[in-house]
Each structure stands twice: as structure tokens, then as C-alpha cells.
Amino acid sequence: MAYEIPLGLKPAGAKPVAVVTGASSGIGAATARLLAASGFAVVVGARRVERLQALAREIGGTAQRLDVADPASVRELAERVADVQVLVNNAGGAIGLEAVEQARDEDWETMYASNVLGAMRMTRALLPKLERSGHGHIVFVGSIAGFEVYPGGAGYTAAKHAARAVRQTLRLELLGRPLRVTEVAPGMVETEFSAVRFRGDLERAKKVYEGLQPLVADDIADCIAWAVTRPFHVNVDEIVVRPRAQAAAGQVVRRMVE
Ligand code: NAP
């Protein structure tokens, strides 16, 4: 369901612009669709450009190749976007489920680069334009991994804990300026997340969601679109959203009786 942008949040004679990172699949793509349906001009960024171009055509948005782990790529996007009111820092994910004993440096570095440094770089690059809009809003797609831990999850939970700290710090630093900061922290959402985590092992990825009803990307897009369409005096600090069948990262019930 689309939302309505409150009159006070609409720039004169133009649609407000939203930049969504990691929009080539899952939560980012669903968010781009819902924001477009709600009246935003959406700029979609990710590395897989063909997917982005198809999405941009579908929603009447703009596709921009983006690797949030690459400072030059972030700069390029920031230079191309003239005005921006909403930034959704969604690009990221997990790689591997190895115990700390078997941790691979490159996996941890990749997770930190996208989930933490990427969100910091995007925020820093777009902050002047977000502020100039008079109604800036930065949304972090965090995770319950930002405040819970589980065996094998240390690389990912460390990155999401760090991203959460960045979001909480920004909320303090931006106080008094025309900028809102929100974190949406989902539990289990069925997207390409597990396929990426298990390096393309689709059988293993499918098992994660077996016997329960996970969230879908649209459920998270709904939280994001709701938060960014509240009147501007309202700052939704955080939304934690899980499937009913999941009470904590490692606490799920499968084949739940309805
Ligand atoms: P997904 O379907 O795998 O989507 C991840 C997106 O991030 C893709 O569009 C990917 O695009 C993009 N991405 C990854 N690294 C990037 C980089 N360096 N630069 C630009 N884009 C990058 O998974 P998802 O579930 O939608 O994940 C979206 C966010 O939700 C992530 O931050 C994830 O940690 C978070 N989250 C997911 C779950 C879940 O259970 N699914 C739960 C809590 C939080 P390209 O590969 O094309 O660049």
C-alpha cells in the first residue's frame, strides 16, 4: 500500500528525491518501488546495473551504478544527484557463517566495507544536499544483528552493531538541524540475503526459511515508507520487525500451528 507524502514535505513543483542503495534486489528494490508509488522520484544504486535499469524503467526512476565500498563510486553518485530529501542506506548483507576460530579476513572486511563504511560514506556525501532540502531523512536498514549475537554470526553482527552505533551517533550529532534519522531493524526476511551469505548455495539458503513464514521485502519497505512519510516533527528512531515465528536471532519456531 502506497503512502501519501505530507504537504509540508513536498518541494514546490517537484517530487522529493529518494536515493536507495542496494536496490538491485530484496529490501532495496521493494523500497524503491513503494517510495516511487508514494510519490518520490527514486534514484536506485547498486553494482548490478542491468537489474537497476529494469527497475528504474518500471518505476520511472533513475539508475546509477554504485559500489558503496568504493569511495570514488559514492562520490560519483553524490555529484550526479542535484537534490535529495531521503537517503536509504540499505546496501549490505552477510558473508559466511563461520565461527570466529575460522573467520576469513576478506569476508569480515567485505561486510564492514558495505554495511558500515558504505553507510557512513553515503551519509557524509549526501548530507549537505539532504540538509539543504530542508526536510532531510536518513534511513539505515539495520538488523536484529545490530543488538543480538549468534554462533557463526560474529562478522555480520559486529558490522551491524557498528552501523547501529553510527546511526545512534548521527541522531545526536544532527539534533537541531532539519534532518531525521531512522533505523529499521528486521529479523528474518526472505530475499537473496542467505544465497549471498552461503556463497550461492541455494539449497542451504532455502533451509533457513523452511517450515516458517519469514518476512518478505515488502514488509520492510512498508516500515521505511511509513517512517519517511510521517509529518516532519516526528522522528521514528527505530523499528524492530520480525516474523511472528522468530523471537530472537536464534529462536525460531518451525511448522508453527496457526
Ligand atoms: P539482498 O537481496 O542480497 O540485497 C542486498 C543488496 O545490497 C543488493 O541489491 C546488492 O546489490 C547490494 N549491495 C551489497 N553490497 C553492495 C555494495 N558494496 N555496493 C552497493 N550495493 C551493494 O538482501 P536484503 O535482505 O535485501 O538486504 C538488504 C539489507 O537488509 C542489508 O543491509 C541486510 O544486511 C539487511 N537485512 C537483511 C535481513 C534478511 O534477513 N534478509 C535481515 C536484517 C537486515 P549488488 O550486489 O547489485 O551491488
Side-chain angles (χ1 to χ4, degrees):
M1 188 195 76
Y3 289 87
E4 201 168 314
I5 304 169
L7 272 181
L9 290 186
K10 287 186 188 164
K15 286 182 174 183
V17 175
V19 172
V20 180
T21 72
S24 60
S25 79
I27 294 168
T31 301
R33 284 193 180 93
L34 186 52
L35 291 182
S38 302
F40 286 89
V42 183
V43 178
V44 289
R47 295 164 299 183
R48 286 170 292 177
V49 180
E50 312 78 61
R51 284 183 178 215
L52 282 184
Q53 285 167 343
L55 176 63
R57 273 195 300 277
E58 177 195 325
I59 65 174
T62 309
Q64 171 70 38
R65 191 192 177 277
L66 170 70
D67 180 354
V68 297
D70 173 6
S73 174
V74 172
R75 263 198 309 276
E76 193 184 328
L77 181 141
E79 280 162 13
R80 288 204 172 170
V81 177
D83 299 301
V84 57
Q85 190 161 313
V86 174
L87 165 63
V88 183
N89 279 319
N90 165 75
I95 302 180
L97 194 61
E98 286 78 24
V100 176
E101 271 178 294
Q102 282 92 39
R104 303 187 199 179
D105 289 24
E106 61 273 25
D107 292 345
W108 284 51
E109 280 161 8
T110 302
M111 287 188 275
Y112 201 82
S114 58
N115 293 287
V116 189
L117 294 177
M120 175 277 286
R121 286 193 190 107
M122 286 299 304
T123 303
R124 187 179 59 192
L126 290 181
L127 247 173
K129 288 172 184 168
L130 287 161
E131 184 158 23
R132 202 178 62 208
S133 78
H135 300 99
H137 197 154
I138 305 155
V139 179
F140 285 72
V141 178
S143 170
I144 58 170
F147 51 87
E148 295 182 6
V149 296
Y150 53 93
Y156 180 57
T157 56
K160 286 299 195 195
H161 273 65
R164 182 175 177 78
V166 175
R167 184 274 295 175
Q168 288 170 319
T169 305
L170 264 177
R171 176 79 172 99
L172 301 175
E173 290 176 351
L174 301 179
L175 188 64
R177 291 159 64 181
L179 292 156
R180 300 194 280 189
V181 182
T182 296
E183 177 176 348
V184 176
M188 212 183 251
V189 191
E190 190 165 10
T191 60
E192 293 176 18
F193 177 88
S194 294
V196 172
R197 163 166 259 176
F198 299 130
R199 304 180 175 85
D201 183 341
L202 298 182
E203 276 308 303
R204 195 173 171 199
K206 218 167 72 190
K207 285 205 168 63
V208 173
Y209 311 106
E210 229 165 55
L212 61 82
Q213 187 174 354
L215 298 174
V216 293
D218 285 340
D219 295 322
I220 313 308
D222 190 43
C223 296
I224 295 169
W226 177 77
V228 304
T229 53
R230 293 314 85 207
F232 200 58
H233 69 282
V234 178
N235 192 99
V236 179
D237 279 13
E238 80 186 63
I239 300 175
V240 178
V241 53
R242 313 173 198 252
R244 187 158 52 85
Q246 181 183 39
Q251 292 288 310
V252 298
V253 59
R254 297 189 192 266
R255 310 211 183 286
M256 187 165 59
V257 180
E258 288 301 321

